Every structure is written in C-alpha cells, then in structure tokens.
Amino acid sequence: MFDVFEKYLRQWVSVSDEEMALIRAASMERKLRKWQSILHEGEVWKITCFITTGCFRLYRFSADGTDHTLRFGVENWWISDQESYNHEKPSEYNIEALTASTVIIWTKEKWEELRETIPAVKIFNEKLLARGYETSQQRIFSLISNSAEEKYLEFQKTYPKVFNSVPLHMVASYLGISRETLSRIRKDFTRRD
Amino acid sequence: MFDVFEKYLRQWVSVSDEEMALIRAASMERKLRKWQSILHEGEVWKITCFITTGCFRLYRFSADGTDHTLRFGVENWWISDQESYNHEKPSEYNIEALTASTVIIWTKEKWEELRETIPAVKIFNEKLLARGYETSQQRIFSLISNSAEEKYLEFQKTYPKVFNSVPLHMVASYLGISRETLSRIRKDFTRRD
DNA sequence: AAATGGCGTTGACATTTGTCACGCTTTTTG
DNA sequence: CAAAAAGCGTGACAAATGTCAACGCCATTT
C-alpha cells in the first residue's frame, strides 16, 4: 500500500530513495471497517493520515443534533482536523470511514521530524495547506453565490470521484441542503436530459 | 504607520531589532481613497499587504453579474488573493477600500526574500496560513448548518469590529443572503429586545 | 436650499427550500 | 437466507428566503 503513496508523493516533490525509505519507516498502515471512526469529537487529532483505499467523511454536529459534512476524503486524499492538530485541542469534529478503508499514518512526532529532516516533506506540506485554503475559498464562494441546484451540479462536476463514492444524503449535508431537495433536483435534472 | 505593524508582528513571533529593520526597509506604505481598488480581476496579485487603517473587501462577480463578498479586512488584518499570488495567475477577485485606508506592502520578491532570510517571518507566515484555513473551515460550517438569522448573529458576535465598519448590504452578500432578508432579520431581532 | 444618490427598510407576492409522512428497493447484518 | 436497517424518492404542506417596487432618511454635492 505504501507504493500508492510513494507514487503520489513523487508527483508533488522530488524525493530521493533514502528519504523515501525514512518516510516509509516512520509510517504505519491501518485498516478500518465500514462506519469505523478514526476521530471522535473530544479527542485530539495527533496523526497525519493518507487514504490509500476507501472513503471518509469529516462531519460535525450542530446544536439541534443534525450532522453536517465538512469534507470527504477518497483514495489519494488526506483527511485530518487541522485545528485540533495545530493547537492540540479537543476536536469538535468526527471522522469516519464510509467503506472499508486503508490508510497510511504517521504519528505527529514522526511527521514533524520528517518535516524538519527532509526539505521536500516540508515543501510538500506547505503546498498541501495552500491548496486546502484555495479549495475552501472556492467552496465558500459556491455556498454564498449558488442555488441548491448549482451547488449540486458544481460538486458533481468538480469532484466526480467523490460524488460517485458517497451516499446522496451526505452530499446534501455537504452542500447545506436537505436530502429531499437534493432528490428533487436530481429528478428535475434527469428529466431534462 | 510601521509601528502598528511592528507591534502586531511581535505578538506572533519574536523578532530581533536587526530583523525588524530589514522587514521595515523592504516595506512600502500606500494610501488609498474610498472605493479605490487595489486588485482588479484579471490582474495578478503580487504583493503582501497589511492593513494599518481603514477597511477592505475581497469580492467576486458571479455569472449573473451580482457580486459576492468573500472576505473583509480591517485594521491589523491582511488582505490578499492567495490563489493568484501562489500560482501567479490572473485573479478572479477584486479588492477595494471601503473607506480611506493605509496599508503596508511588500513586493512578492522582497517578501519571499524575507521569508528565506528571517526564520521568524517564515514561521509567522505559516501560522497565518494555518489560521486562515481554520477560519475558512468555521465559516463553511456556519454556511452549511445555520439559518440566515443564525449566520447573521454569529458574524456580528465573532467579528464585531468588521460588522461595525461595513455597509449592511455587503454583510448580506458575505452571508449569502439578500439585503432584504438581512433587513427583516434585524427588525425581528431588535423587536425582541 | 434644493437636488442627488446611496443606504436601509418595508409590503406584496413568487419561488425555493425544508419538514413530515410514507413506501419501495438495496444493502447490511445476524 | 431472512430480518433489519439504510438509502432514495415522492406527495402535501409549511416555512424561509428571494424578487420587485416603492419609500424615507441622511449625507454629500451643487
């Protein structure tokens, strides 16, 4: 499974074989069954986690008890709670596997050590953070400027792989609309084809 | 005006007097009159920009010609288009001064040099990016989980200084609701006091 | 002092979206 | 395999929000 990650990482930065060996030695593989949680609210997120197979979602409960999907993660994505990780404070979020999944993880200690030791890891980490920020900005624009239907179509188009991997009611919760509304949008849309 | 920035920066990281002198030498001050733009869509954002006085907004037009406020900036905030800056690509956003304002700016060249030369600047920049990401995540949660009224109240409470500095119709555009809806929320709310 | 224009408000009405209830199908689980 | 649960769709209705038009206020300009 590490091979998947190795290939992915080399697309971002150039890493020598020795460095890659260090990164590998510091990593662990973990398997999760369907619905298994990898983060419960209240816990501190202390790992760096790369998804090799399967699918996850990061979600949070609001005061009325409903849950809202902040983000999905599929193969070759990272999943984390940056806020909890950075400040070592109890998370307000949950992360769960939506299917049986495999991840590669590094403890915070080891990952920080890799960042300090291997420049490419530091650079890579920065690029990743920058991209995450840009993605968030685009999503905010979509949320404040688009109708439910537009948000749905944009999501489907921008993240087809995610779209095809997750239940529709979670897509609705990701878009900030009810599952019934999503269902009707789909009906209208297919009828128009 | 640089004193304002100096005080701000020292709250984040420890900087020697020599380093601060370098940061200062690389900076420029710029004044903007009300409604003046500092970024037009199509231009590339090539500076790092700290607001010492006044107020800005970052906004974008959607296909139907309406504008949507992505972010505000007031005193002691930064304002930028990270996506344009990072990839040196034409911006899809506009940034304008909402009042007469003063900013401290560094050219991209000089700022990158400072980041490489002075570790504290690099660290500071990373912290800033991390915070921006966390803030975005919180806003996304608010947008997908709150009603118009809840979004309004949360914004008012979380960013009172911004709230008191900008026109209401821009707050509406920031929250993704119409200005009429915002107006009615306010009426309902004051009546309840 | 009058004219102007931006800003916020309001009423009437249309549209969108949410809620509740239900049923059908697929998937999961024991 | 069978029972249970999850997933998805749909109708009827309610609530939230948007749209359009008009108005008043107030700061600024002329």
Side-chain angles (χ1 to χ4, degrees):
Chain A
M1 276 320 195
F2 192 85
D3 300 346
V4 176
F5 172 71
E6 180 169 341
K7 191 177 167 191
Y8 164 88
L9 184 60
R10 291 199 195 276
Q11 288 172 350
W12 283 80
V13 285
S14 117
V15 183
S16 73
D17 291 347
E18 294 76 26
E19 289 169 334
M20 192 60 85
L22 285 175
I23 297 170
R24 179 174 209 149
S27 74
M28 292 185 296
E29 190 174 312
R30 186 171 164 194
K31 290 184 180 299
L32 293 108
R33 59 179 187 280
K34 188 168 185 175
W35 300 127
Q36 191 173 356
S37 278
I38 193 168
L39 171 67
H40 283 102
E41 53 182 300
E43 296 171 356
V44 177
W45 180 261
K46 284 182 188 163
I47 58 173
T48 295
C49 180
F50 178 81
I51 305 167
T52 47
T53 62
C55 183
F56 291 80
R57 73 162 180 149
L58 171 73
Y59 66 98
R60 178 174 170 175
F61 290 99
S62 56
D64 64 1
T66 58
D67 66 278
H68 304 271
T69 303
L70 270 293
R71 199 145 18 94
F72 294 107
V74 292
E75 290 136 17
N76 284 13
W77 288 36
W78 300 83
I79 191 79
S80 71
D81 176 358
Q82 281 302 313
E83 199 170 340
S84 177
Y85 183 91
N86 289 334
H87 307 296
E88 308 205 349
K89 70 176 190 184
S91 179
E92 292 165 317
Y93 301 92
N94 298 276
I95 298 177
E96 69 182 8
L98 301 182
T99 63
S101 304
T102 321
V103 296
I104 298 177
I105 61 177
W106 293 262
T107 64
K108 183 167 183 171
E109 276 179 359
K110 291 200 174 173
W111 185 258
E112 295 304 322
E113 196 183 319
L114 290 171
R115 284 216 309 181
E116 284 163 31
T117 318
I118 306 173
V121 172
K122 189 165 184 60
I123 290 166
F124 162 73
N125 203 93
E126 283 162 15
K127 286 185 180 178
L128 207 61
L129 189 57
R131 198 186 60 162
Y133 183 71
E134 291 162 14
T135 304
S136 297
Q137 175 127 318
Q138 284 159 6
R139 178 150 172 227
I140 288 171
F141 180 70
S142 179
L143 287 169
I144 64 177
S145 67
N146 288 340
S147 67
E149 176 166 340
E150 289 165 336
K151 284 187 281 187
Y152 166 75
L153 292 174
E154 183 176 307
F155 174 67
Q156 189 179 23
K157 190 178 164 192
T158 310
Y159 301 104
K161 196 168 191 172
V162 177
F163 179 79
N164 291 316
S165 308
V166 305
L168 283 176
H169 71 271
M170 292 185 186
V171 173
S173 123
Y174 177 90
L175 299 176
I177 62 179
S178 70
R179 68 206 162 88
E180 292 92 340
T181 296
L182 181 57
S183 191
R184 290 184 183 111
I185 286 167
R186 286 161 57 78
K187 186 175 66 167
D188 290 356
F189 192 68
T190 53
R191 193 163 51 197
R192 262 182 261 157
D193 286 340
Chain B
M1 276 321 200
F2 192 85
D3 300 345
V4 176
F5 172 71
E6 181 170 341
K7 189 178 168 191
Y8 165 87
L9 185 59
R10 290 198 194 277
Q11 288 172 351
W12 283 80
V13 285
S14 116
V15 184
S16 73
D17 292 346
E18 293 75 25
E19 288 169 335
M20 192 61 85
L22 285 174
I23 298 170
R24 179 173 209 149
S27 75
M28 291 186 297
E29 190 173 311
R30 185 169 164 195
K31 289 184 181 299
L32 293 110
R33 60 179 187 281
K34 190 170 181 173
W35 300 126
Q36 191 172 355
S37 277
I38 193 167
L39 171 68
H40 284 102
E41 52 183 299
E43 296 171 357
V44 178
W45 180 261
K46 284 181 188 163
I47 57 174
T48 294
C49 180
F50 178 81
I51 306 167
T52 47
T53 62
C55 182
F56 290 80
R57 74 163 178 147
L58 170 74
Y59 66 98
R60 178 174 170 176
F61 290 99
S62 57
D64 64 1
T66 57
D67 66 278
H68 305 270
T69 303
L70 269 293
R71 198 145 19 95
F72 295 107
V74 293
E75 292 135 16
N76 283 13
W77 288 36
W78 300 82
I79 191 81
S80 72
D81 176 359
Q82 280 302 313
E83 200 171 340
S84 176
Y85 184 91
N86 289 335
H87 306 295
E88 308 206 350
K89 71 175 191 185
S91 179
E92 293 166 318
Y93 301 93
N94 298 276
I95 299 176
E96 70 182 5
L98 302 182
T99 63
S101 303
T102 321
V103 296
I104 298 177
I105 62 176
W106 293 261
T107 64
K108 184 168 182 170
E109 274 180 0
K110 291 200 174 173
W111 184 258
E112 295 304 320
E113 196 184 319
L114 289 172
R115 285 217 307 181
E116 284 164 30
T117 318
I118 305 174
V121 172
K122 189 164 184 60
I123 291 166
F124 162 73
N125 202 94
E126 283 164 15
K127 287 185 179 180
L128 207 61
L129 189 57
R131 199 186 59 161
Y133 183 72
E134 291 164 13
T135 305
S136 297
Q137 174 128 318
Q138 284 159 7
R139 180 151 172 228
I140 288 170
F141 181 70
S142 178
L143 287 169
I144 63 176
S145 68
N146 289 338
S147 67
E149 176 167 339
E150 289 164 336
K151 285 188 280 187
Y152 166 75
L153 292 173
E154 183 176 306
F155 175 65
Q156 189 179 23
K157 189 179 164 191
T158 310
Y159 302 105
K161 195 167 193 172
V162 176
F163 180 81
N164 291 316
S165 308
V166 305
L168 282 177
H169 71 270
M170 291 184 186
V171 173
S173 120
Y174 177 89
L175 299 177
I177 62 179
S178 69
R179 67 207 160 89
E180 293 92 339
T181 296
L182 181 57
S183 192
R184 292 187 181 108
I185 286 168
R186 285 160 56 77
K187 187 176 68 168
D188 290 355
F189 192 68
T190 53
R191 194 165 49 197
R192 262 182 261 156
D193 286 341

